[in-house]
Amino acid sequence: MNGMVKNATNLVFTAVDYDPFAGPELVRLVPTTEPQREIWTACALGGDDANRAYNESVSLRLTGELNRPALTRALHTLAGRHEALHSAFSADGRQLCILSDMPPAFTYEDVSAYSSTDQALHVAQYLRQDALHIFPLTQGPLFKAGLLKLGPALHQLVLTVHHIVCDGWSLGVLMQDL
């Protein structure tokens, strides 16, 4: 049956290829703090809704000419500089797994051709969807960014990170660093 397993009700399941060595290299393990374990437990018990409840986000309107490749490099540098932004958690939540290279998820949308009303609706919808993002705690990344182009010299940057690795004060530090 090569990769296939039959259960008691004769349903057939195909084994999914799994490569434990795929993905970023594990640099080191760090014990989690008590608050991190509490958040991890809340997310494990509360499921997706609990996970979403811990999203920390900041949204900025950027005016003037924007060099998008430079912003992308800056976000990658920011994620590389702060270990919490390129980490994940062990399956039991007791270890923080620092990974070698994990750039943040980065999305870009050009909505500059939309009317101002449609832009406002799209931004509001984007922010609602961003608030519903579920961070995969055991895989990472736990940090994401989105850029909406509203006009030739107007953009909205949205940075979201899971509270298990970043609080409001830390988000301010990240903003200064960026």
Side-chain angles (χ1 to χ4, degrees):
M1 290 181 47
N2 194 17
M4 303 196 50
V5 177
K6 284 193 174 192
N7 70 6
T9 59
N10 292 326
L11 295 175
V12 176
F13 297 97
T14 302
V16 177
D17 290 334
Y18 174 70
D19 181 359
F21 302 107
E25 178 185 352
L26 178 63
V27 175
R28 76 174 150 278
L29 295 173
V30 178
T32 54
T33 64
E34 185 63 32
Q36 286 175 319
R37 285 189 296 275
E38 289 172 3
I39 292 171
W40 185 92
T41 300
C43 291
L45 295 176
D48 292 347
D49 288 338
N51 187 305
R52 288 182 191 109
Y54 287 103
N55 287 353
E56 298 275 341
S57 186
V58 64
S59 179
L60 304 169
R61 282 276 169 122
L62 307 175
T63 57
E65 189 175 332
L66 178 70
N67 183 333
R68 191 168 42 126
L71 175 62
T72 302
R73 285 190 307 274
L75 289 166
H76 285 233
T77 300
L78 182 72
R81 184 176 295 148
H82 298 277
E83 289 182 337
L85 300 182
H86 59 97
S87 64
F89 284 78
S90 63
D92 65 0
R94 301 190 81 53
Q95 301 289 323
L96 181 66
C97 306
I98 309 299
L99 305 168
S100 62
D101 182 29
M102 183 180 285
F106 182 62
T107 59
Y108 171 76
E109 293 183 54
D110 184 346
V111 296
S112 59
Y114 294 11
S115 70
S116 59
T117 301
D118 287 342
Q119 276 185 0
L121 289 172
H122 188 80
V123 169
Q125 178 184 359
Y126 181 90
L127 294 173
R128 273 192 305 278
Q129 285 301 116
D130 193 65
L132 296 175
H133 181 74
I134 300 165
F135 284 101
L137 299 182
T138 59
Q139 298 168 3
L142 304 177
F143 170 55
K144 68 188 278 301
L147 182 67
L148 301 171
K149 180 177 181 178
L150 305 174
L154 182 62
H155 295 80
Q156 182 136 354
L157 177 65
V158 181
L159 303 176
T160 306
V161 63
H162 198 279
H163 186 65
I164 199 166
V165 293
C166 185
D167 59 14
W169 180 83
S170 301
L171 199 53
V173 170
L174 294 176
M175 295 306 305
Q176 288 179 340
D177 197 18
L178 181 62

